[in-house]
Amino acid sequence: MATGLLLSGTIAALLTSALPAQHQPSDGFDDPPPDRIVIKVATVNGSGCPQGTTAVAVSEDNTAFTVTYSDYLAQAGGDSAPTDFRKNCQLNLLVHVPQGFTYAVAGADYRGFAALQPGATATQRASYYFQGSPDTQYRTHPFSGPLNDNWQATDTTDWAQLVWAPCGVQRNFNINTELRVSAGTSHPDEVSFMTMDSTDGDISTVYHLAWKECPET
């Protein structure tokens, strides 16, 4: 697990694509800070991210960070254990930003693989909040069988509804993700599963950051 990465470059105001090289600033947003961002993993907890199976990396232009999983799988049916139907992961991130700027998560792209039998269903869910803040954003994406393919889900937030990090105060950022699988009306001997990963093991969840200047005090 990566404990921290320090990268420099120009930070885009708001990302609209999963690939950093294609990101373009959106008109009307403040210029991003021409400095560095440091992201460190404070804690990682959950059945979907056992110790040593999660890593965080920051894009070269500081416009996004990627969370990588290697053991995030929920399943139901067949000989699955009763607790296998739900897996979750809470990432507690310490984010250092240049003085005078704040940030919000403007979007997130999730990818994985799902094998759902006819009649089975699955759900990917995520929530975002700053430590000590009552504002929490929730996003839910349902899936249904038959399905045997890679999946992708994207969370986006309007500029006016972004939850910004408090200016001048260090607050850890929390990301809670969850996978649920239900056998539903599928045959009880058939297994359905969903992973937060991809078939070739190149597993990534990309979170897009928005930036603005803090008011002068």
Side-chain angles (χ1 to χ4, degrees):
M1 180 179 67
T3 57
L5 292 172
L6 181 64
L7 297 171
S8 61
T10 302
I11 302 176
L14 181 64
L15 308 187
T16 57
S17 169
L19 297 177
Q22 298 175 349
H23 292 158
Q24 297 295 330
S26 296
D27 292 339
F29 296 159
D30 292 330
D31 290 335
D35 205 337
R36 299 174 177 176
I37 176 174
V38 181
I39 297 177
K40 293 183 178 180
V41 180
T43 58
V44 180
N45 293 301
S47 54
C49 51
Q51 185 175 1
T53 66
T54 304
V56 178
V58 184
S59 63
E60 291 185 1
D61 57 1
N62 296 341
T63 56
F65 61 94
T66 299
V67 182
T68 302
Y69 307 97
S70 61
D71 190 18
Y72 201 154
L73 180 148
Q75 66 178 38
D79 58 357
S80 303
T83 57
D84 286 345
F85 80 98
R86 176 185 180 273
K87 293 297 175 71
N88 76 295
C89 183
Q90 174 171 313
L91 293 168
N92 185 272
L93 303 177
L94 180 64
V95 183
H96 168 77
V97 296
Q99 185 175 0
F101 287 88
T102 183
Y103 73 97
V105 171
D109 298 321
Y110 297 91
R111 295 179 178 85
F113 184 84
L116 303 178
Q117 302 294 336
T121 59
T123 301
Q124 184 270 329
R125 187 173 191 253
S127 63
Y128 315 91
Y129 67 95
F130 289 98
Q131 184 177 3
S133 171
D135 297 322
T136 302
Q137 297 178 352
Y138 296 92
R139 298 290 187 272
T140 302
H141 301 276
F143 300 84
S144 16
L147 176 64
N148 188 33
D149 203 351
N150 295 315
W151 62 268
Q152 179 174 341
T154 299
D155 296 344
T156 57
T157 304
D158 293 337
W159 185 261
Q161 297 177 332
L162 291 175
V163 178
W164 295 95
C167 285
V169 180
Q170 180 64 62
R171 296 285 177 83
N172 286 16
F173 184 64
N174 292 277
I175 302 169
N176 292 312
T177 58
E178 178 182 313
L179 295 179
R180 286 178 180 261
V181 175
S182 171
T185 59
S186 64
H187 192 281
D189 292 337
E190 295 179 326
V191 176
S192 294
F193 69 88
M194 186 176 190
T195 67
M196 191 88 78
D197 64 12
S198 65
T199 53
D200 61 3
D202 184 14
I203 317 149
S204 63
T205 299
V206 178
Y207 297 87
H208 307 315
L209 304 181
W211 298 88
K212 71 176 182 180
E213 291 188 53
C214 291
E216 295 183 3
T217 56

